[in-house]
Structure formats: C-alpha cells, structure tokens
Amino acid sequence: MKNILIPTDFSENADHAISYALNVFKCERSNFFFVHAYADEVYGPYHNVDKETFDKQKNSIAKDSENKLNKLITDTQTKTHNPLHTYEAVSSFESLVDAINDFADSKNIDLIIMGTKGKTANSKITFGSNTVQVFKYVKCPVLAVPDQYDYNQPKKILFPSNYMLPYKRRELKLLDNMAAEFKAEIHSLYISDFEDLSLRQLDNKKFLEESLPNARLSFVRTGVENRSKAITTYFNENKMDLLVMVNSRHSFLEDMLYRSTIDEIGLSPTIPFLVMQNLPR
C-alpha cells in the first residue's frame, strides 16, 4: 500500500495536484494524507500582537484549516468513490517543510505530490517558493504537477543521469513500480560529448538496469551545449509524460536548486517533475 502525502493551501493548483495523484494511483491501494501547514498564516500577520490576540487568531485559523481539510476529503470521496483509497486530514501548526518532513518520517511516506505553484500562481515563474523549499529540504521523493498540465498516463519517462552515483533502491523501486503499472518507457539521458564511460559509470549504469526490471529502459546520449536546454529539447521533441531527476550532492539538480530561483538556470518543465532524494531513509 502506498502512503502519499499531498500538501494543500486549498488553491486551484493544489486541487489540480490532488486530481493528478488520484489518477496516477487509481488502481493501487493508497493512503492519501492531505496536509495543511498554517504557521505562516499566524506568524505573518500576527507576530506583533499581544498573546491573547495571537492565541485567538491561531485557534481561529486552526479551526478553519480543519474545516477546509474535512470538506476537501468529503468532496474527494464524493467525486471518486474509489474503494482502494483512504484519506486522512492533517492540520499542522508548523512551517510547510517542517510539517512535511515530520509527517513523512512518522508515516513512512513513499511520495509527496504537490502543485508547482501555490495561491499566488505567478505566471512568470516555473516553481513557487514553497515547491522549491520542499525540493531542497524534504527527505522524500516529490512530484510537482504544473497547473496547466492535463493528466496523461506516464508512459514515457525521461530520467537524465550521468551515472556517477548509485541511486537509492527504495526510490528506484518507486519509479520501477510506476513503470510497471503503466508499461512505461524510461529514457535514461546521458548528456556528454564523450561516448565512453568510466568503470564507475558502467557499474552505476548496470545498477540502474538491475533496479528497473519492469521498465522498458533505453539509454540515450546527447552532446553538451546547455544541460537545461538538452533536457527540455528532449522531453519536448519526444513527447515525454514525466521528468525524473535526483537531488544529490554536487549534482546538476542541486546546482539548480541552490540558485536564487530555478528559473535562472532555464529548466521549465511543462510536464510533471519527480525529484528523488539520494538520501538514506
């Protein structure tokens, strides 16, 4: 049974991510945890008030959060009627990243699914600040769903890799299960001007093959001009349904995430984007 955590701010973008999640795991027994972290809603506008006013506002926001979560679950159950799915509401007086990390650890969460943007939905940015923070600091795979993306089964998955790191088996198993469910192709894209691989790269490439036995796995190489452009060109030209990257020390994705915004490096996926963390869990 999958344990899926979905953060929500009750925006259209969050609802869109929920809809995507319910479709992806439509045929799997899954527990969905809808999480709303409301600490910023309290500390933001009420940090300079007296304690009595602060506590009053905090209790009011907490009650509103619980009511909205319960309504969300009722609405979801009414629309889907899926006996394979269960739902739980989690209202948390924490920051978003802390709430997600704590809950992901306590419930052994397999995957976090969220929108690429929140309530602000700024059309000039690819990922909102909350999504970037979750990518960077949450120790669990995160699937971000663009607000304009219409659901397609993830039958063609793009997985760029330089084969320098042995990925974690648990996260590769998640990808392999998804590939098995949708009979998906996984295109392992190696961005390099050189075809020959080192012994280390060959070992890690073999490990990748062995860890994805249910995927229709193929290996592709493209020359280096600009890594973001190479990835974007590939998923556009080959009509990919899902982009997968791994966040690890000194990786291309880490370099991207630790700039002030992802948009500075030019990667703007128009398809769902799965970020796997190369960390022990």
Side-chain angles (χ1 to χ4, degrees):
M1 181 175 283
K2 291 285 190 300
N3 289 324
I4 313 297
L5 187 157
I6 307 180
T8 180
D9 56 6
F10 310 110
S11 64
E12 287 185 12
N13 291 326
D15 289 346
H16 187 68
I18 291 171
S19 177
Y20 183 89
L22 297 178
N23 275 307
V24 166
F25 294 102
K26 176 169 60 177
C27 299
E28 289 195 53
R29 294 181 62 84
S30 305
N31 299 319
F32 291 94
F33 300 92
F34 297 150
V35 176
H36 180 234
Y38 60 89
D40 290 345
E41 297 172 42
V42 179
Y43 287 124
Y46 303 113
H47 63 284
N48 283 329
V49 300
D50 59 80
K51 186 178 186 306
E52 183 180 351
T53 302
F54 180 87
D55 288 342
K56 181 180 178 181
Q57 294 300 330
K58 175 188 169 185
N59 292 336
S60 174
I61 290 170
K63 185 175 181 180
D64 183 58
S65 171
E66 290 172 7
N67 289 338
K68 285 181 176 177
L69 283 168
N70 289 331
K71 183 178 184 302
L72 178 60
I73 287 178
T74 300
D75 291 346
T76 302
Q77 289 173 324
T78 301
K79 280 188 280 188
T80 59
H81 300 291
N82 192 331
L84 296 176
H85 293 171
T86 64
Y87 307 95
E88 184 175 323
V90 182
S91 182
S92 175
F93 182 54
E94 289 185 283
S95 70
L96 181 65
V97 168
D98 286 343
I100 291 175
N101 255 333
D102 290 346
F103 198 79
D105 187 52
S106 67
K107 293 293 185 178
N108 199 23
I109 294 296
D110 296 298
L111 178 65
I112 296 158
I113 301 180
M114 63 191 301
T116 53
K117 304 169 193 174
K119 286 182 178 178
T120 54
N122 188 337
S123 61
K124 294 181 180 179
I125 63 171
T126 304
F127 298 102
S129 58
N130 282 334
T131 307
V132 174
Q133 294 301 305
V134 173
F135 282 162
K136 286 165 68 172
Y137 299 120
V138 170
K139 300 173 183 179
C140 184
V142 182
L143 176 57
V145 184
D147 54 329
Q148 299 299 320
Y149 183 79
D150 292 328
Y151 175 75
N152 283 312
Q153 290 186 353
K155 288 184 174 294
K156 298 179 74 174
I157 300 170
L158 177 59
F159 187 10
S161 175
N162 61 8
Y163 311 124
M164 293 299 291
L165 293 170
Y167 301 130
K168 299 302 176 189
R169 288 188 185 275
R170 174 173 178 166
E171 306 221 339
L172 289 177
K173 186 177 180 181
L174 172 72
L175 185 58
D176 188 58
N177 288 345
M178 190 176 290
E181 173 68 26
F182 296 103
K183 298 179 175 56
E185 304 171 8
I186 295 182
H187 299 218
S188 179
L189 180 65
Y190 177 48
I191 304 170
S192 175
D193 289 328
F194 305 100
E195 192 167 343
D196 292 340
L197 300 178
S198 67
L199 291 176
R200 176 185 181 183
Q201 286 175 303
L202 289 170
D203 283 345
N204 289 330
K205 183 179 176 182
K206 184 178 179 182
F207 176 77
L208 192 62
E209 284 185 274
E210 292 171 349
S211 300
L212 299 171
N214 295 302
R216 293 157 60 193
L217 183 60
S218 61
F219 295 97
V220 188
R221 182 181 64 85
T222 185
V224 175
E225 43 176 329
N226 173 291
R227 285 177 291 184
S228 299
K229 185 177 179 182
I231 292 168
T232 302
T233 298
Y234 193 91
F235 71 64
N236 283 334
E237 289 183 352
N238 294 277
K239 296 183 170 55
M240 308 306 288
D241 302 308
L242 177 67
L243 172 63
V244 180
M245 295 181 72
V246 175
N247 185 25
S248 60
R249 293 294 305 275
H250 311 303
S251 68
F252 168 53
L253 184 57
E254 184 193 52
D255 179 46
M256 179 174 74
L257 292 174
Y258 282 85
R259 293 170 184 253
S260 60
T261 68
I262 283 183
D263 300 273
E264 284 186 13
I265 206 162
L267 183 61
S268 302
T270 53
I271 57 177
F273 183 27
L274 174 60
V275 173
M276 301 196 295
Q277 308 291 349
N278 205 42
L279 299 165
R281 292 184 65 210

